[in-house]
Amino acid sequence: MTNKYCTALTFNVRRHTPELIAPATSTPREVKPLSDIDDQAGLQHLIPTIHFHRRNPNMGNKDPASVIRDALAKVLVFYYPLAGRIKEGHGKKLMVDCTGEGVLFIEAEADVTLEEFGKTLHPPFPCTEKLLCDVPGSGGIIGSPLVQIQVTRLLCGGFIFTARIYHTMCDGTGAVQFLMALGEMAQGALEPSVLPVWQRELLNARDPPRVTFPHPEYDDVVDMEDNVMAIGEMADTSFFFGPAEMSALRRLVPKNLKTCTTFEVLTACLWRCRTIALQPDPEHDVRLMFFVNVRGMFDPPIPVGYYGNCIVIPCVVSKAKDLCNKPFSHALELVMEGKSRVTKEYVRSTMDLMVVKGRPSFKTSSTYIVSNLTRVGFNKVNFGWGEPLYAGLPNDDEDLPGVYSSYMPSTNDNGEFGIVARIALPISTMEKFVNELNIMLK
């Protein structure tokens, strides 16, 4: 296991004037309602991604900012709802007004090289606030640009691409589908290889709605952890789990749970170590939630090209004392049970709950939330300069520090392929977390 704390690297970024990039040709002017999964309160925020690209001699003197800007106008002809603006209707129902106003784009230069970021690129990254497009007045989902992109040229001839996309419009799979299409247009394609599908009505509540499952993810809970997270400075760190680390964790798995996946083993491990490090009240409930892609659960299946949210967020609960003191199998069984709970009926029940409860946000108190992006494909997005050296989420969520972890595919300094898990905890707690993790990996 290797881990990385944020480096002390600093650099300057010169941003050009922000632009609105509209679709290259006229697009339908219409209002398109979002699904009952899309418009829940917990998804009404921007998801940032960062992509590091090295210089490619085969691209000659082509300017990545110009190439991507031109491709953006072309791809928005197909993804024209992303060039619109969200408005709110009756009962907090969100819809996209397809105005064609465009998406935010910033061209920039930084006085830094890729090499200065280190041999292996793992989050968190320094100075991300300078690399992410963040224009005053562009916050808040109603009436704001739904996609915000910055392309920053580097001294070495490489560049950093960042995108911030409202989660309400698409999940990780949908965001990658859009970015892959942008990359294809940047390389000269006349249309995306996967054409976008809207059809948000496929994920709407039944009439009348029927909530058939308990959904603790949306239940109000008493928070016992915020005071812990608020104490002192946070350490935002990434840990690499390669073949050796996963083999060590699998040795802790009892025979009756050997069918567990890599995600289940790793998530159970991190939830347990994190809880031990935070030292909550032993009698207090602690919660784990994780995003599950449900595209394959429907019959007929969700169409290829659907880029809306097709996810649910099951929640499992344990007494803190049980998670900390019982064998590792306790945590693992809970994770496996939570994942197996997700069926087509569970997804339908979630949609119906949205309508019955007024589109609530999932609750984050005393909760650890994991997003598995290892197979989503951010690392495959290619604008013509080749696949990125690293692509994924840049750092911890400032609004909810220490709550989210994300898993991304990556390599370590030895070139071994594995998973990078990003974790943030108070500095005073991080040392305990690392100690617990080392004990499990022995």
Side-chain angles (χ1 to χ4, degrees):
M1 176 194 72
T2 56
N3 66 283
K4 169 193 168 180
Y5 288 80
C6 200
T7 66
L9 175 66
T10 59
F11 51 88
N12 298 304
V13 174
R14 186 178 72 87
R15 287 182 168 123
H16 296 216
T17 304
E19 310 169 59
L20 278 175
I21 308 297
T25 59
S26 62
T27 52
R29 179 67 198 264
E30 56 191 357
V31 175
K32 301 175 86 69
L34 289 153
S35 81
D36 288 328
I37 292 285
D38 289 325
D39 61 7
Q40 58 184 292
L43 299 182
Q44 294 177 23
H45 59 94
L46 289 157
I47 294 292
T49 64
I50 189 166
H51 307 238
F52 293 82
H53 291 268
R54 58 162 65 91
R55 176 181 174 272
N56 186 341
N58 295 332
M59 296 301 285
N61 292 322
K62 285 187 178 179
D63 170 33
S66 298
V67 169
I68 292 170
R69 181 195 288 109
D70 293 346
L72 195 51
K74 293 172 184 174
V75 82
L76 286 173
V77 174
F78 299 92
Y79 284 88
Y80 64 91
L82 291 177
R85 298 293 183 266
I86 283 180
K87 63 182 188 178
E88 189 174 277
H90 177 70
K92 299 183 182 177
K93 185 66 191 171
L94 297 185
M95 52 201 75
V96 183
D97 188 2
C98 299
T99 60
E101 290 175 69
V103 305
L104 264 178
F105 181 87
I106 294 181
E107 177 182 349
E109 298 91 25
D111 60 353
V112 69
T113 65
L114 269 179
E115 290 71 24
E116 289 177 83
F117 283 87
K119 182 179 177 181
T120 305
L121 292 167
H122 287 168
F125 299 105
C127 304
T128 50
E129 72 283 354
K130 300 176 184 178
L131 299 170
L132 289 163
C133 177
D134 189 8
V135 176
S138 64
I141 194 168
I142 305 298
S144 289
L146 301 175
V147 179
Q148 305 173 12
I149 287 172
Q150 181 168 318
V151 180
T152 306
R153 291 181 292 267
L154 307 177
L155 292 175
C156 56
F159 67 96
I160 297 172
F161 171 93
T162 60
R164 299 167 82 224
I165 304 175
Y166 268 105
H167 207 326
T168 299
M169 293 298 293
C170 48
D171 56 15
T173 300
V176 167
Q177 182 184 305
F178 168 69
L179 294 176
M180 291 286 278
L182 175 60
E184 289 172 348
M185 305 299 268
Q187 294 182 71
L190 298 178
E191 66 176 31
S193 60
V194 177
L195 291 172
V197 172
W198 186 260
Q199 290 187 27
R200 303 294 169 108
E201 68 279 1
L202 293 173
L203 294 177
N204 276 348
R206 295 171 286 206
D207 188 13
R210 301 189 306 277
V211 180
T212 53
F213 277 81
H215 291 278
E217 56 269 32
Y218 297 101
D219 290 345
D220 289 323
V221 290
V222 177
D223 189 19
M224 309 292 282
E225 204 176 80
D226 280 357
N227 56 343
V228 178
M229 287 294 184
I231 296 171
E233 193 178 348
M234 297 291 286
D236 189 3
T237 317
S238 64
F239 296 85
F240 179 82
F241 294 86
E245 289 80 13
M246 292 313 303
S247 178
L249 291 180
R250 281 200 172 273
R251 285 197 291 271
L252 303 173
V253 177
K255 285 183 180 178
N256 65 316
L257 301 178
K258 288 294 184 186
T259 57
C260 60
T261 64
T262 296
F263 168 80
E264 289 162 350
V265 174
L266 181 55
T267 301
C269 163
L270 297 181
W271 184 32
R272 186 173 188 269
C273 291
R274 179 183 182 274
T275 304
I276 293 171
L278 285 170
Q279 297 179 315
D281 183 325
E283 297 298 328
H284 184 61
D285 285 341
V286 289
R287 297 151 36 105
L288 169 74
M289 288 158 49
F290 46 88
F291 294 88
V292 177
N293 182 344
V294 296
R295 278 170 172 76
M297 290 187 181
F298 290 83
D299 185 18
I302 299 296
V304 173
Y306 185 89
Y307 62 102
N309 286 283
C310 205
I311 50 173
V312 291
I313 315 156
C315 175
V316 296
V317 183
S318 172
K319 289 288 182 197
K321 65 180 181 183
D322 292 338
L323 195 58
C324 296
N325 299 326
K326 285 187 176 181
F328 173 61
S329 58
H330 170 73
L332 181 55
E333 281 185 290
L334 285 172
V335 176
M336 294 173 75
E337 183 272 326
K339 204 168 164 189
S340 68
R341 190 190 309 155
V342 178
T343 60
K344 179 181 175 181
E345 179 57 32
Y346 182 91
V347 179
R348 288 284 173 209
S349 178
T350 302
M351 299 174 204
D352 294 352
L353 180 93
M354 290 299 118
V355 172
V356 170
K357 282 202 165 186
R359 312 181 199 286
S361 177
F362 47 87
K363 301 302 187 287
T364 59
S365 299
S366 302
T367 302
Y368 178 44
I369 303 178
V370 174
S371 181
N372 181 15
L373 302 173
T374 54
R375 298 181 183 176
V376 172
F378 284 110
N379 58 328
K380 300 296 180 185
V381 174
N382 183 352
F383 303 108
W385 279 260
E387 292 180 358
L389 295 171
Y390 171 87
L393 305 189
N395 45 24
D396 192 28
D397 187 328
E398 291 182 2
D399 296 326
L400 289 169
V403 171
Y404 285 91
S405 278
S406 53
Y407 302 165
M408 268 88 64
S410 191
T411 55
N412 62 7
D413 289 348
N414 300 323
E416 288 183 306
F417 188 79
I419 295 171
V420 166
R422 196 206 45 70
I423 301 197
L425 287 168
I427 287 177
S428 58
T429 304
M430 184 61 79
E431 188 175 337
K432 298 175 196 165
F433 173 84
V434 172
N435 289 340
E436 287 300 324
L437 191 53
N438 285 332
I439 290 168
M440 291 193 72
L441 292 172
K442 277 182 181 174

